[in-house]
């Protein structure tokens, strides 16, 4: 069952008075989604020092990931805690300081990713959008995805969303909650219905008054869905107050089909790359993705006039006092239809509302809204008048500014309102860009690129939203935080240097973080989650040796002057000596002679001076100058005091922040950026009519008035030939020509002789436009009485990209069709084909959508690397996406396993469109024995049967210890005229016809248990029976059709905790029929009442659940939370060691599986018919019957990669295999367990012998889990032994000796091979098969 609220450390937590600490984070960032957080005690000097590190790192369940960001809250009178919500629907509270688990609960079983086929979120889809916390009531609100009736599976139609309200202390539901969202229809079009299985709640929630608002989009744009904003009341019993659909009639696709697989919902989903819904009072803002209804065509439309097809829009909804939503305003780019065609979603990022006290104009623009998405355009909008459609000059966008980024952006932007105001966003594969706010000549706000980070982001989707902190809102303390799926957590100074670089901080490595994250901040600590399922806390240790006054602010200091401040410190511990102090900037000076020379006792005070010395500073980079150039502005650095402590476990360094503002006495010209790269314009493209926009800032950072004495442009920086600024007309408006061939212009350029007062800046709008292809470059030179500067302009013109897609053929060529048909692939073999996308156009091609297949037997080799979203394909180049088919070896004569899936792709070539590459293959097992004319075997596999009490087949036709295999046995039985053929005990062949004694359904065992696992001597890839008298039985398909007499009705499905599948079949019916000669792997609810399985078919049902009405135990198993380990093996394998791959042939011959669900158990289950099993590179499972003699044992520590599917286990390394070897099975108990969160249901099959007082030969225990109380029918197994504990009589290799006392001195037996709480007599005997004696002690 799923966990109810559980106190781990405390039996009771008293009710506390509601509170909100300044350092709490009760939602994703801030309500404006501006990304600026000033109150979390994040000091740059501390963050960029050795005292900042990883404080704790927690992991919980295998495959549990976090997409919702943590919340941080301080109860009144209590310590700060962290609230987390996972994709597995677990909510937890943790101690914010040490990570101790305080409370946890699974609110309901999560929805299975395998039910939808979209791989954006792997494994489980539960709580994805970030919750919100109401500090007044101490209630947390969130949406959770699961199944009807609390089932653990059920397909798309049974998927639902619920809205929860839980108490932060107990995690119990608040009375009146949860509320089911399914069953509600949209207010603005009742034909638009909500179906939880087809949609995803991705953005962080927002709160407006008494209303909580969530937004919904789709899964890979599949299914019949409509983007919706949903409002729910906080008041119990009220429920859903409003649903506003983004696509409605008239205009949206109509009528909307009730077939959820038909994509007629209109789409226009809201997902925002995980960013939140922004709000500034009684209105909310968000951006939508691509849609199907296009009401807006050529005619301009006001944003206030309403719109029924809100795809590719920035939307402003009003929220009234009753929680009703209504459209107030919108903005839709003039080229939105082309964006739809190219899948360049505006909605891949959220909407940031910027601090209106800073980010505004003097022209009436009082609040700015910013969005940026896949099309790589940042739209700066007036939040009070977003812009409508084609309301700008010449039918363009009526926005404040459009910024062209270097590439597509997912997640959105962040801002920093101090030191003039800055804006940040991170394009895929490029640095984070930094833009500074300015005003043009008309007082309109305008941003200019002034810097970027020194490193680039991951070249794939998932980089987080830029977030900026400051220390208590003080200028000079801004830190820019970026989370990266490859690079982990990164931090930079929020303000760039004069050379345009955002200086990087040195942080402890976190490894790649989960996609679309941003840190959640507490009191001097932050919290993130990674791709391995860890929640990580970073912060500064509390064990500092000193407490000193900081930050130290020198105020304004003129260049050429000095200023001195005294710093006061107090010793917190016993200190032997102050070893010294250093600063990070040589203009800030401290003398070690002023520091204490002797030991310090706790509480002892001391002081020392620090001087900011600008007497030798230069305003230019003069050759051989004592210091580099110093420009006016805010400066900061760190002063680090080093101590020698007598008290252990305290830091020996204390960082102190120094800051101040340099001032020039004279006028001082400053221009940013030094280079304006407009990027490329596609001649004739949708955006070519208006050109590409940019800006530059011209500042006077001196103390006297600055006067411009001249402007000119040149083709080289030396200025051998200058051209004066001239006037021209562009788009019917006057412009100043400031560059080559009229390509670079400005609509508002300052005149010669104009002035700038001290501290004033002007932002100059720039434009690049061309109708010809080629490269363009110019230098703009500026002369003034405050110095001279030049700026480089670059841009290019090219033709549009042209995408071509093709599929590799068996002959080595390429087929332009969208069918990838592998044909027949032998089980155990790997077959590879590739998708190729080439660019034959004149500019770079961007992959805007990519949803690769990730199944067990059909999968993209590198789903996050090959043909990934955001990948750029250069001109005349191609990109490739390999797809592998690898059929798991099941044994001979199995039904054909037909697997299929699609790879969904799109590019920014507007003529390309969404492409669904259909992938299919038939995985064919080995065919042995007599055959039909078409080559398939006459004998088909029936199953593995227990053969201990009453033979299933009557005639032992031969015993052959050297050559027996199933084909040989079938030939013998066929020649003798028998319907059934079976192999047992490696060497025995049994034949028979259908009788009352067999084969019996009651003796059938699930294939997932692998009880028939003994290799045949004539072919070790086949199984010939198994331990405990298990027999492999085959039948002549021309003379017998399997039925409930031989295969249990409703029990042919194997139950396991895995959710992997070949293809997904969803149905609301309680029965299913699977046609012959196919294998379908499906995920269904355990409430199914019947299943009809005709001949030659196999149905594998994968059920993941967490509760059971028939469970005999409700005690949850403890989750392992320690470091990664190597399991000792399984029933058939023992750990061998870490093996190095040799030069030449590999250590093991067969790669059976390679994917990101890999665990040690999974690999061992795949290799059950082999003698060796090895795992390499964290995700590759290799099997073989021989180990290459050239392979050698390596040091265990070199197998250091954790398993992709379980970070608590090791799965080899680079060129290293975690190796297991087959243990000779004992003729005793085989145990197979399907892991469950908190319960188990046991069933046993036993057979007795008259010569033993206990069930002899075999005992089979199957542990599964189930949610539904209406479990499927099955035949009653033989009674389980329920008497007192006994001693088994032994096994084929051992006999019982007696009870032996340990002697004094050396132990009775020398080697401890295993000690754990799963110990049984059979388990111990199987581990000791290479020894003469085996003994069990202390119960484990």
């Amino acid at each position: 069952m799923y966990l109810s609220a559980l106190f781990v450390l405390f039996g009771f937590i008293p009710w506390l008075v509601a509170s909100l600490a300044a350092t709490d984070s009760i939602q994703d960032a801030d309500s404006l989604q501006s990304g600026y957080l000033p109150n979390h005690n994040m000091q740059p000097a501390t963050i960029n020092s050795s005292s900042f590190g990883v404080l704790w790192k927690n992991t919980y369940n295998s495959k549990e990931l976090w997409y919702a960001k943590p919340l941080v809250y301080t109860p009144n009178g209590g310590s700060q805690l962290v609230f987390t919500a996972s994709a597995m629907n677990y909510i937890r509270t943790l101690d914010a300081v040490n990570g101790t688990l305080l409370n946890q609960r699974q609110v309901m079983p999560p929805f299975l990713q395998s039910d939808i086929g979209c791989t954006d979120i792997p494994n489980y889809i539960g709580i994805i959008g970030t919750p919100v916390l109401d500090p007044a009531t101490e209630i947390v609100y969130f949406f959770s995805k699961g199944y009807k009736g609390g089932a653990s599976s059920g397909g798309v139609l049974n998927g639902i969303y619920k809205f929860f309200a839980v108490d932060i202390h107990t995690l119990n539901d608040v009375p009146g909650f949860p509320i089911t969202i399914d069953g509600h229809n949209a207010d603005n079009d009742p034909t638009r219905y909500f179906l939880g299985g087809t949609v995803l709640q991705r953005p962080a929630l927002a709160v407006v008054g008494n209303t909580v608002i969530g937004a919904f989009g789709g899964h890979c744009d599949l299914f019949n869905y409509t983007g919706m904003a949903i409002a729910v009341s906080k008041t119990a019993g009220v429920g859903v107050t409003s649903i506003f659909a983004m696509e409605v009639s008239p205009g949206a696709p109509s009528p909307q089909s009730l077939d959820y697989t038909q994509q007629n919902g209109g789409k226009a989903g809201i997902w925002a790359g995980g960013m939140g819904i922004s709000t500034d009072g009684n209105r909310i803002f968000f951006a939508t993705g691509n849609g199907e209804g296009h009401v807006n065509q050529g005619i301009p439309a006001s944003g206030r006039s309403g719109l029924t097809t809100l795809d590719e829009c920035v939307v402003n909804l009003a929220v009234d006092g009753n929680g009703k939503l209504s459209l107030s305003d919108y903005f839709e780019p003039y080229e939105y239809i082309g964006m739809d065609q190219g899948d360049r979603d505006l909605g891949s990022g959220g909407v940031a509302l910027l601090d209106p006290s800073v980010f505004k104009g003097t022209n009436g623009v009082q609040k700015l809204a910013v969005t940026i998405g896949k099309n790589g355009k940042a739209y700066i909008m007036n939040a009070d008048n977003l812009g409508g459609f084609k309301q700008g000059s010449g039918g363009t966008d009526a926005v404040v500014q459009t910024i062209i980024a270097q590439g597509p952006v997912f997640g959105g932007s962040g801002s920093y309102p101090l030191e003039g105001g800055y804006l940040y966003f991170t394009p895929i594969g490029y640095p984070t860009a930094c833009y500074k706010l300015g005003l043009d000549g008309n007082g309109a706000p305008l941003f200019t690129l002034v810097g970027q980070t020194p490193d680039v982001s991951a070249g794939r989707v998932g980089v987080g939203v830029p977030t900026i902190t400051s220390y208590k809102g003080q200028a000079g303390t801004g830190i820019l935080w970026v989370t990266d799926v490859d690079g982990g957590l990164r931090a930079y100074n929020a303000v760039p240097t004069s050379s345009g670089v955002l200086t990087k901080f040195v942080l402890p490595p976190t490894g790649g973080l989960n996609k679309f994250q941003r840190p959640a901040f507490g009191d001097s600590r932050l919290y993130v989650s990674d791709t391995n399922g860890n929640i990580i806390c970073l912060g500064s240790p509390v064990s500092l040796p000193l407490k000193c006054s900081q930050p130290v602010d020198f105020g304004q200091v003129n260049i050429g002057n000095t200023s001195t401040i005294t710093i006061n410190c107090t010793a917190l511990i016993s200190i032997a000596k102050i070893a010294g102090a250093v600063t990070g900037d040589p203009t800030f000076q401290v003398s070690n002679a002023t520091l204490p020379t002797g030991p310090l006792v706790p509480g002892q005070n001391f002081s020392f001076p620090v001087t900011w010395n600008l007497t030798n500073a230069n305003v230019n980079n003069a050759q051989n100058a004592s210091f580099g150039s110093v420009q006016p502005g805010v400066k900061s650095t760190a002063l680090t005091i080093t101590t020698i402590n007598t008290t252990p476990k305290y830091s020996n360094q204390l960082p102190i922040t120094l800051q101040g503002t340099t001032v020039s006495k004279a006028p001082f010209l400053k221009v940013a950026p030094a280079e304006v790269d407009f990027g490329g314009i596609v001649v004739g493209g949708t955006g070519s009519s208006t050109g590409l926009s940019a800006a530059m800032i011209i500042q006077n950072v001196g103390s006297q008035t600055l006067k411009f004495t001249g402007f000119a442009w040149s083709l080289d920086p030396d200025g051998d030939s200058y051209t004066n600024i001239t006037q021209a007309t562009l788009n019917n408006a006057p412009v100043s020509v400031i560059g080559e061939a009229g390509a670079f212009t400005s609509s508002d350029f300052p005149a010669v002789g104009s002035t700038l007062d001290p501290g004033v800046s002007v932002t100059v709008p720039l434009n690049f436009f061309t109708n010809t292809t080629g490269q363009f470059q110019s230098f703009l030179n500026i002369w003034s009485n405050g110095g001279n500067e030049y700026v480089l302009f670059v841009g290019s013109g090219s033709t549009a990209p042209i995408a071509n897609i093709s599929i590799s053929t068996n002959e080595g060529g390429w087929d332009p069709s969208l069918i990838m048909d592998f044909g027949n692939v032998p089980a155990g073999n790997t077959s590879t084909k590739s998708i190729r996308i080439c660019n034959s156009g004149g500019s770079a091609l961007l992959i805007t959508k990519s949803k690769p297949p990730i199944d067990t037997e059909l999968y993209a080799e590198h789903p996050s690397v090959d043909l990934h979203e955001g990948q750029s394909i250069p001109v005349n180049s191609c990109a490739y996406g390999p797809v592998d088919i690898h059929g798991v070896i099941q044994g001979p004569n199995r039904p054909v396993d037909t697997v299929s899936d699609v790879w969904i792709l799109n590019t920014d070539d507007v003529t390309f469109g969404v492409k669904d590459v259909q992938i299919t293959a038939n995985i064919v097992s080995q065919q042995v024995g007599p055959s039909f004319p078409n080559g398939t075997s006459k004998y088909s596999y029936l199953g593995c049967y227990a053969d201990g009490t009453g033979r299933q087949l009557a005639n032992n036709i031969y015993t052959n210890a050297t050559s027996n295999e199933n084909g040989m046995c079938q030939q013998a039985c066929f020649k003798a005229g028998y319907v059934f053929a079976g192999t047992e005990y490696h060497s025995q062949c049994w034949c028979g016809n259908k009788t009352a004694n067999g084969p019996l359904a009651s003796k059938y065992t699930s294939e997932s248990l692998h009880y028939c696992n003994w290799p045949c001597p004539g072919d070790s890839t086949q199984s010939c029976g198994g331990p405990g008298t298990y027999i492999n039985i085959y039948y002549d398909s021309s003379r017998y059709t399997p039925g409930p007499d031989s295969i249990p009705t409703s029990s042919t499905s194997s139950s396991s905790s895995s959710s992997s599948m070949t293809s997904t079949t969803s149905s609301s019916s309680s029965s299913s029929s699977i046609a012959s000669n196919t294998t379908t792997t499906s995920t269904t609810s355990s409430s199914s009442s019947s299943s009809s399985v005709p001949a030659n078919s196999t149905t594998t049902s994968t059920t993941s659940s967490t509760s059971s009405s028939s469970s005999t135990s409700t005690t949850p198993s403890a989750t392992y939370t320690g470091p990664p380990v190597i399991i000792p093996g399984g029933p058939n394998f023992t750990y061998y060691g870490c093996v190095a791959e040799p030069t030449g042939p590999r250590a093991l011959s067969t790669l059976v599986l390679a994917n990101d669900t890999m665990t040690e158990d999974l690999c061992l289950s795949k290799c059950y018919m082999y003698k060796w099993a090895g795992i390499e590179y964290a995700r590759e499972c290799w099997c073989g019957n021989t180990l290459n003699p050239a392979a050698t044992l390596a040091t265990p520590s070199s197998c250091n990669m954790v398993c992709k599917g379980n970070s608590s286990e090791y799965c080899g390394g680079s060129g290293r295999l975690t190796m297991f070897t087959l243990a000779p099975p004992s003729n005793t108990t085989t145990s197979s367990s399907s892991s469950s969160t908190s319960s188990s249901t046991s069933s046993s099959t036993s057979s007795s012998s008259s010569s033993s007082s206990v069930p002899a030969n075999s005992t089979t225990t199957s542990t599964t889990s189930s949610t539904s109380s209406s479990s499927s029918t099955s035949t009653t197994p033989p009674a389980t032994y329920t008497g007192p504990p006994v001693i088994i009589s032994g096994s084929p290799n051992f006999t019982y000796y007696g009870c032996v006392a340990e002697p004094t001195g050396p132990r009775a037996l020398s080697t401890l091979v295993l000690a754990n709480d799963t110990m049984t007599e059979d388990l111990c005997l199987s581990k000791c098969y290479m020894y003469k004696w085996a003994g069990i002690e202390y119960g484990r």
Side-chain angles (χ1 to χ4, degrees), residues 1305-1320:
R1307 301 185 66 90
L1309 299 178
S1310 59
T1311 305
L1312 176 64
V1313 297
L1314 183 64
N1316 67 28
D1317 292 340
T1318 65
M1319 184 57 63
T1320 66

Side-chain angles (χ1 to χ4, degrees), residues 50 115 151 270 280 488 498-499 602 662 737 835 936 961 1051 1095 1258:
S50 59
D115 271 356
I270 311 165
D280 61 352
S498 58
S499 59
T662 58
V737 178
I835 301 172
T936 60
S1051 297
S1258 68

Side-chain angles (χ1 to χ4, degrees), residues 999-1325:
L1000 297 178
S1002 61
K1003 296 301 183 76
Y1004 176 88
T1005 66
S1006 170
E1007 285 300 297
S1008 66
L1009 301 177
H1010 301 308
Y1011 283 171
C1012 289
N1013 57 16
W1014 274 352
C1016 303
D1019 184 348
S1020 60
T1021 65
Q1022 301 179 29
S1023 63
C1024 285
T1029 67
Y1030 284 95
I1031 182 173
N1032 291 97
I1033 298 181
Y1034 295 78
Y1035 65 95
D1036 185 340
S1037 59
S1038 65
R1039 296 196 286 163
Y1040 176 73
T1041 299
D1045 56 338
S1046 58
I1047 299 177
T1049 302
S1050 305
S1051 297
T1052 55
S1053 302
S1054 62
S1055 176
S1056 97
S1057 62
S1058 171
S1059 63
S1060 64
M1061 62 188 305
T1062 302
S1063 63
T1064 303
T1065 304
S1066 302
S1067 173
S1068 59
S1069 171
S1070 62
S1071 65
S1072 62
S1073 178
I1074 303 173
S1076 63
N1077 295 317
T1078 64
T1079 297
T1080 303
T1081 306
S1082 64
T1083 302
T1084 62
S1085 171
S1086 60
S1087 62
S1088 174
S1089 62
S1090 67
S1091 175
S1092 176
V1093 186
N1096 297 331
S1097 71
T1098 301
T1099 302
T1100 304
S1101 172
T1102 301
T1103 304
S1104 175
S1105 74
T1106 52
S1107 70
S1108 171
S1109 61
S1110 59
S1111 173
T1112 58
S1113 173
T1114 58
T1115 303
S1117 301
T1119 302
Y1120 178 73
T1121 58
V1125 297
I1126 298 171
I1127 65 173
N1132 304 317
F1133 286 93
T1134 58
Y1135 176 60
Y1136 178 79
C1138 182
V1139 172
E1141 286 280 12
T1143 303
R1146 300 187 69 95
L1148 298 178
S1149 58
T1150 305
L1151 177 63
V1152 297
L1153 185 63
N1155 68 26
D1156 291 342
T1157 66
M1158 185 58 61
T1159 66
E1160 294 179 8
D1161 283 329
L1162 177 60
C1163 184
L1164 296 187
S1165 71
K1166 298 296 181 184
C1167 296
Y1168 73 95
M1169 294 186 67
Y1170 294 88
K1171 295 180 179 179
W1172 294 88
I1175 318 168
E1176 191 169 6
Y1177 292 111
R1179 66 187 305 274
E1180 296 180 2
C1181 177
W1182 291 81
C1183 309
N1185 287 312
T1186 59
L1187 179 64
N1188 187 341
T1192 58
L1193 283 171
T1195 57
S1197 60
S1198 62
C1199 286
N1200 54 11
M1201 291 185 177
V1202 297
C1203 302
K1204 287 289 187 179
N1206 186 351
S1207 60
S1208 66
E1209 296 175 1
Y1210 285 116
C1211 281
S1214 177
R1216 298 289 189 271
L1217 295 110
T1218 299
M1219 189 71 73
F1220 298 85
T1221 185
L1222 186 67
S1226 59
N1227 193 22
T1228 54
T1229 300
T1230 302
S1231 177
S1232 174
S1233 174
S1234 171
S1235 67
S1236 162
T1237 303
S1238 62
S1239 67
S1240 64
T1241 303
S1242 298
S1243 64
S1244 299
T1245 302
S1246 63
S1247 59
S1248 61
S1249 169
S1250 60
S1251 61
S1252 174
S1253 60
V1254 296
N1257 296 326
S1258 68
T1259 298
T1260 304
T1261 302
S1262 172
T1263 303
T1264 63
S1265 60
S1266 169
T1267 301
S1268 173
S1269 61
S1270 56
S1271 60
S1272 59
T1273 61
S1274 63
T1275 57
T1276 305
T1280 303
Y1281 177 72
T1282 57
V1286 295
I1287 298 171
I1288 65 173
S1289 58
S1291 73
N1293 301 320
F1294 288 92
T1295 58
Y1296 178 61
Y1297 177 78
C1299 181
V1300 175
E1302 286 280 10
T1304 302
R1307 301 185 66 90
L1309 299 178
S1310 59
T1311 305
L1312 176 64
V1313 297
L1314 183 64
N1316 67 28
D1317 292 340
T1318 65
M1319 184 57 63
T1320 66
E1321 296 176 7
D1322 286 328
L1323 178 59
C1324 180
L1325 297 185

Side-chain angles (χ1 to χ4, degrees), residues 895-925:
V896 173
D897 180 10
T898 299
V899 296
S900 63
D901 208 331
V902 295
W903 192 327
I904 305 172
L905 292 156
N906 201 357
T907 71
D908 64 344
D909 175 358
V910 296
T911 65
F912 187 73
V914 177
K915 299 289 190 271
D916 291 351
V917 178
Q918 304 289 333
I919 309 166
T920 185
N922 296 322
I923 298 172
V924 181
S925 65

Side-chain angles (χ1 to χ4, degrees), residues 357-429:
S357 67
V358 174
F359 295 97
K360 60 182 178 179
T362 58
N363 64 337
V365 177
Q366 295 300 304
K367 178 172 286 188
L368 295 178
V370 181
T371 195
I372 182 169
K374 284 187 187 179
N375 68 341
K377 281 187 177 180
Y379 297 97
I380 315 298
M381 297 160 288
N382 181 350
D384 299 319
N385 184 10
L386 292 175
F389 175 67
K390 284 191 173 183
Q391 294 287 293
S393 174
T396 57
D397 297 326
V399 295
V400 175
Q401 183 184 2
T402 302
I403 300 174
I404 308 299
Q406 291 177 289
V409 174
F410 291 72
S413 59
S415 64
Y416 176 52
L418 305 182
E419 303 178 59
Y422 292 85
L423 180 71
Y424 313 83
F425 51 77
T426 310
I428 292 176

